[in-house]
Amino acid sequence: MLDDLPPDLGRLVALRVWHAMWLQRIDNKIAALQKRGAEQERGQRARPAEPEWIVELGIGDGRPPAEIHVGGCYAAGKRRRPVGRDEARRLLASGVRACNHCQPDTALDILDLPTQPGLATAAR
């Protein structure tokens, strides 16, 4: 039998203490990772549902609506608020721009949007 341990009691006790210390560190790390995983899982379950439609708000007095997006659009800016389907349709019908990336007008089955006067004159 291979016996590579030190022959004296002092060194054996020191090795045992050292290994016990490392086992405690490993156990603490395992517990911390399990706790973090459980917290992330709780956070995922508690996360509110993504809104169906988003209105991006402009800058300035009253923060007027600037653009309508589908709920998960990557192009939506930081100044935004969720809106319902009816309000999104009403805003699009009133001339608020539809996002070119997520195309909420198509998703809302709106075929003819009013043209914006500033865009029509700029094309001439």
Side-chain angles (χ1 to χ4, degrees), residues 28-43:
N28 289 344
K29 183 69 171 193
I30 289 170
L33 290 174
Q34 287 173 336
K35 182 179 178 185
R36 185 184 316 158
E39 288 171 353
Q40 287 176 343
E41 188 177 318
R42 270 195 310 276

Side-chain angles (χ1 to χ4, degrees), residues 24-70:
Q24 185 61 45
R25 288 184 68 191
I26 292 169
D27 289 344
N28 289 344
K29 183 69 171 193
I30 289 170
L33 290 174
Q34 287 173 336
K35 182 179 178 185
R36 185 184 316 158
E39 288 171 353
Q40 287 176 343
E41 188 177 318
R42 270 195 310 276
Q44 290 293 332
R45 284 194 310 262
R47 176 175 280 154
E50 189 174 81
E52 215 175 338
W53 310 101
I54 298 171
V55 61
E56 186 173 346
L57 303 172
I59 299 174
D61 190 30
R63 294 171 45 153
E67 196 169 45
I68 304 294
H69 299 272
V70 174

Side-chain angles (χ1 to χ4, degrees), residues 7-121:
D8 61 301
L9 183 61
R11 286 191 285 174
L12 284 172
V13 170
L15 280 173
R16 181 167 189 328
V17 169
W18 187 82
H19 282 286
M21 177 195 67
W22 273 99
L23 281 175
Q24 185 61 45
R25 288 184 68 191
I26 292 169
D27 289 344
N28 289 344
K29 183 69 171 193
I30 289 170
L33 290 174
Q34 287 173 336
K35 182 179 178 185
R36 185 184 316 158
E39 288 171 353
Q40 287 176 343
E41 188 177 318
R42 270 195 310 276
Q44 290 293 332
R45 284 194 310 262
R47 176 175 280 154
E50 189 174 81
E52 215 175 338
W53 310 101
I54 298 171
V55 61
E56 186 173 346
L57 303 172
I59 299 174
D61 190 30
R63 294 171 45 153
E67 196 169 45
I68 304 294
H69 299 272
V70 174
C73 180
Y74 65 90
K78 293 193 182 291
R79 295 178 317 274
R80 58 184 170 180
R81 68 177 170 85
V83 293
R85 181 180 186 87
D86 292 337
E87 186 175 357
R89 291 177 65 89
R90 183 185 59 76
L91 288 169
L92 286 170
S94 69
V96 176
R97 185 175 57 232
C99 174
N100 291 333
H101 300 277
C102 63
Q103 300 178 340
D105 49 343
T106 304
L108 288 166
D109 297 325
I110 298 176
L111 301 176
D112 293 325
L113 288 176
T115 59
Q116 296 177 346
L119 295 176
T121 56

